[in-house]
Amino acid sequence: MLAGDGVPKIWNMSLSPNKAYAAVVQSVPTDHQKLQCAVYTLAKPKRTKILHLDPKYSQSASIQALTFSEDGHLLVMTTGEPENSILVWKWSTGKVLVADASSFTVHHISFNPWDGTQLVAVGDSELNHIDFVEEELKLKADTPLHHSGLSTFSAHTWVRGTFVAVGTVTGQVGVFLRGEQKGCYQLLEHIPVVCLAAHQAGFVILSHTLLTFFAPVESGSKQPDREELFTIQHQVPLIFAKDVDPLHVSIAPSGVNLMLSTSGNEILQLDLQYLADVASGESRSHLTRAWSAFGSGAVLAPSGSMTSTEIQASSPMPLATAFHSSRVTCMDACRLVPIVATAAQDRELRIWNHRRQECVLKRQLTDDPVDLSVHCSGLTILIAYSDKVQMQYILRSDLEEIADFPLKKCSLCSYSNGGQLFAAAGIGNVITVWSAVTHQVLATLKDEGLCAFHRESATERKEASPGFGMTARRGTPTVYAEQQHMLCLTICSAFKIGFKAPL
């Protein structure tokens, strides 16, 4: 959507509640020291309006936070020092309706989803409840969080229409009503609260190791000496893969699924109906079903109920990712069908339709692949591992194994151009050729150097294997030399980059 605008960097963004508009804070193309806010219409998509900060409202060069009103007609923007301004725009006309100053730098601001006349502004250690009435901002007295026993703020959400829940970097959660603190809860000590989201009449808290669900306290169960508004309903421990962190959590409008994004470029899903099984101690098979759509890196781990081996055996799968979550190690394209196969260090194999520009199949492999080759028909694929070559059918939504071909220290594999044969390079730079139909070994080609490519022409079979001295050796014709096909094996080394193409 931003392609072609010449925008060097994006700093912040906000999506309207009706999913019609997106506001993006970006550098001015002609002056990278200045910022502008561009509003995009998502249905088109196109850039509809550009908002520039007027010096009479703010001298600040930073835009700290953005939020849309419920109908998407108003856009609230906060700026940094020295003014710490709060600006309410009618963005369609580019007019500032209200401009006011805050006593602290506002890092996050949001409208009340149930009442469009209320906002909450949150800084590092302050919170302010704001009434927006008749195009006027009425700021209440600031609530210093550190005076309420809370430390630095990290996330917030509106709850039940009137309450605001805030999380801190030390694992605390405070509940406020119109700026007045009504409750404080301590989760895991020194584990930061990453995100909060409203859930039914309560809220859910995401930290690096835990999902905590809060529900309203029933009137009959409240303590007589103190007023408890919310209580912990469920706690779900999380185990993430190395270098993968949770970023954001959201609840589907139906309230059935929880969605979670991670630093591994994944969108993950939890089926909330299984939380009752967690609380009642159901069998582990039921527990792992809750994460059947969860991705490389997060699994359900009820305290003391699952071993590390059982966690790995649950084999969770990602719901959606923009691309591989780690470096791509091998790929191949089909000659006749518009598909490309890729595999990465996360052991995920993907089949892409490059004509429709979408991923059509994802499969988690059991080992690290070293090479791929797609049959010219697009119906089968070769997957080379360090100890074997595996042939599989490419189905509509999965792969089905056909056969395994043991080969020690396998490094390359390839189908012939016609698809009748396939070959792989193994230990000692030995090239083994199989029939793709009968799966029988037709030839074994040996050489002393580094295997770089293998070629078959219409009249004879030629095998060239340049060694580290870059000398090539040529083979002799064999019994299958008159078949009309060509075969290439390629490898990247410090001396040469090979290309999979007819030679």
Side-chain angles (χ1 to χ4, degrees):
M1 184 174 64
L2 300 177
D5 289 347
V7 178
K9 189 171 183 180
I10 295 174
W11 297 87
N12 202 346
M13 68 178 299
S14 177
L15 183 66
S16 65
N18 57 10
K19 307 299 186 292
Y21 309 104
V24 180
V25 178
Q26 53 198 21
S27 301
V28 177
T30 57
D31 187 353
H32 294 180
Q33 301 299 320
K34 296 182 179 180
L35 300 180
Q36 65 185 19
C37 180
V39 180
Y40 290 82
T41 302
L42 301 182
K44 304 284 175 142
K46 69 174 184 178
R47 188 170 61 188
T48 305
K49 197 73 176 180
I50 298 180
L51 307 177
H52 296 278
L53 288 176
D54 193 326
K56 72 178 181 180
Y57 297 123
S58 177
Q59 298 291 332
S60 175
S62 64
I63 299 176
Q64 297 291 326
L66 294 170
T67 187
F68 279 96
S69 61
E70 191 67 22
D71 57 10
H73 294 164
L74 301 180
L75 178 65
V76 179
M77 179 188 304
T78 67
T79 65
E81 296 179 347
E83 291 87 359
N84 294 325
S85 300
I86 300 177
L87 308 176
V88 181
W89 297 75
K90 188 174 182 180
W91 64 264
S92 59
T93 63
K95 179 183 177 182
V96 177
L97 299 181
V98 184
D100 207 336
S102 173
S103 59
F104 58 89
T105 301
V106 177
H107 296 295
H108 296 271
I109 191 167
S110 64
F111 274 95
N112 185 341
W114 294 272
D115 185 353
T117 64
Q118 298 181 14
L119 297 94
V120 63
V122 185
D124 284 330
S125 58
E126 299 87 8
L127 178 145
N128 201 322
H129 188 97
I130 304 173
D131 288 323
F132 177 61
V133 182
E134 296 179 355
E135 297 186 357
E136 181 181 357
L137 293 177
K138 298 180 180 180
L139 284 69
K140 296 186 179 296
D142 300 342
T143 302
L145 300 186
H146 55 81
H147 289 172
S148 306
L150 300 174
S151 59
T152 305
F153 162 85
S154 60
H156 82 283
T157 188
W158 286 88
V159 183
R160 293 173 58 183
T162 55
F163 295 96
V164 176
V166 298
T168 70
V169 297
T170 57
Q172 296 171 302
V173 179
V175 177
F176 293 82
L177 176 62
R178 299 189 67 83
E180 180 182 354
Q181 184 174 347
K182 294 295 184 179
C184 183
Y185 310 91
Q186 178 69 57
L187 301 179
L188 296 178
E189 191 172 358
H190 303 305
I191 303 297
V193 173
V194 177
C195 184
L196 291 93
H199 173 51
Q200 297 176 352
F203 54 95
V204 60
I205 300 172
L206 172 68
S207 67
H208 289 281
T209 59
L210 196 68
L211 270 174
T212 304
F213 291 79
F214 279 82
V217 176
E218 298 180 1
S219 57
S221 60
K222 292 183 178 180
Q223 298 292 335
D225 57 337
R226 61 178 181 174
E227 182 183 2
E228 288 287 350
L229 297 176
F230 299 92
T231 183
I232 295 177
Q233 184 182 32
H234 300 293
Q235 282 191 313
V236 182
L238 297 176
I239 296 178
F240 284 90
K242 185 180 180 181
D243 300 328
V244 175
D245 295 316
L247 299 178
H248 189 77
V249 66
S250 181
I251 306 294
S254 63
V256 175
N257 296 320
L258 178 145
M259 314 297 289
L260 188 151
S261 62
T262 75
S263 59
N265 300 323
E266 293 178 318
I267 300 174
L268 314 175
Q269 174 181 274
L270 169 64
D271 193 339
L272 297 181
Q273 65 179 327
Y274 291 104
L275 289 180
D277 295 339
V278 176
S280 60
E282 289 288 338
S283 64
R284 294 172 188 173
S285 62
H286 286 162
L287 295 176
T288 55
R289 287 172 60 194
W291 297 100
S292 60
F294 235 78
S296 69
V299 296
L300 181 65
S303 300
S305 65
M306 295 181 72
T307 65
S308 58
T309 303
E310 290 169 331
I311 290 172
Q312 295 177 357
S314 62
S315 299
M317 296 296 291
L319 173 69
T321 63
F323 196 65
H324 291 283
S325 59
S326 58
R327 186 170 64 91
V328 174
T329 56
C330 48
M331 65 179 294
D332 191 36
C334 181
R335 296 178 54 228
L336 304 179
V337 182
I339 62 174
V340 175
T342 59
Q345 288 180 335
D346 57 6
R347 295 184 178 181
E348 186 180 62
L349 172 68
R350 286 174 174 252
I351 306 294
W352 307 83
N353 187 312
H354 57 77
R355 183 174 297 169
R356 299 202 304 263
Q357 298 185 0
E358 65 179 7
C359 178
V360 295
L361 189 152
K362 293 180 291 184
R363 174 72 177 273
Q364 200 73 22
L365 303 177
T366 57
D367 202 353
D368 297 319
V370 297
D371 198 17
L372 299 173
S373 182
V374 181
H375 194 272
C376 58
S377 66
L379 299 178
T380 63
I381 184 173
L382 291 176
I383 306 173
Y385 298 98
S386 59
D387 59 348
K388 66 180 178 180
V389 177
Q390 192 174 74
M391 181 184 293
Q392 298 202 21
Y393 283 120
I394 301 177
L395 305 180
R396 183 180 296 273
S397 59
D398 201 358
L399 298 178
E400 182 178 320
E401 183 177 338
I402 302 174
D404 285 348
F405 305 90
L407 188 64
K408 292 183 179 180
K409 293 187 178 181
C410 180
S411 58
L412 296 168
C413 69
S414 181
Y415 276 109
S416 62
N417 279 3
Q420 300 96 328
L421 307 178
F422 68 92
I427 188 171
N429 302 320
V430 175
I431 301 173
T432 305
V433 182
W434 289 269
S435 167
V437 179
T438 64
H439 302 168
Q440 294 181 347
V441 177
L442 300 180
T444 300
L445 312 172
K446 299 181 180 179
D447 190 78
E448 300 174 356
L450 176 67
C451 176
F453 64 85
H454 173 79
R455 174 186 177 184
E456 295 174 57
S457 67
T459 58
E460 66 173 357
R461 192 274 301 143
K462 299 177 182 178
E463 174 268 326
S465 305
F468 288 100
M470 298 307 293
T471 59
R473 298 178 180 273
R474 180 171 175 176
T476 56
T478 62
V479 294
Y480 58 94
E482 295 184 0
Q483 297 183 2
Q484 298 287 334
H485 53 258
M486 189 175 293
L487 178 67
C488 294
L489 294 176
T490 62
I491 193 168
C492 296
S493 70
F495 307 99
K496 181 180 184 293
I497 297 180
F499 298 90
K500 289 188 175 179
L503 300 176

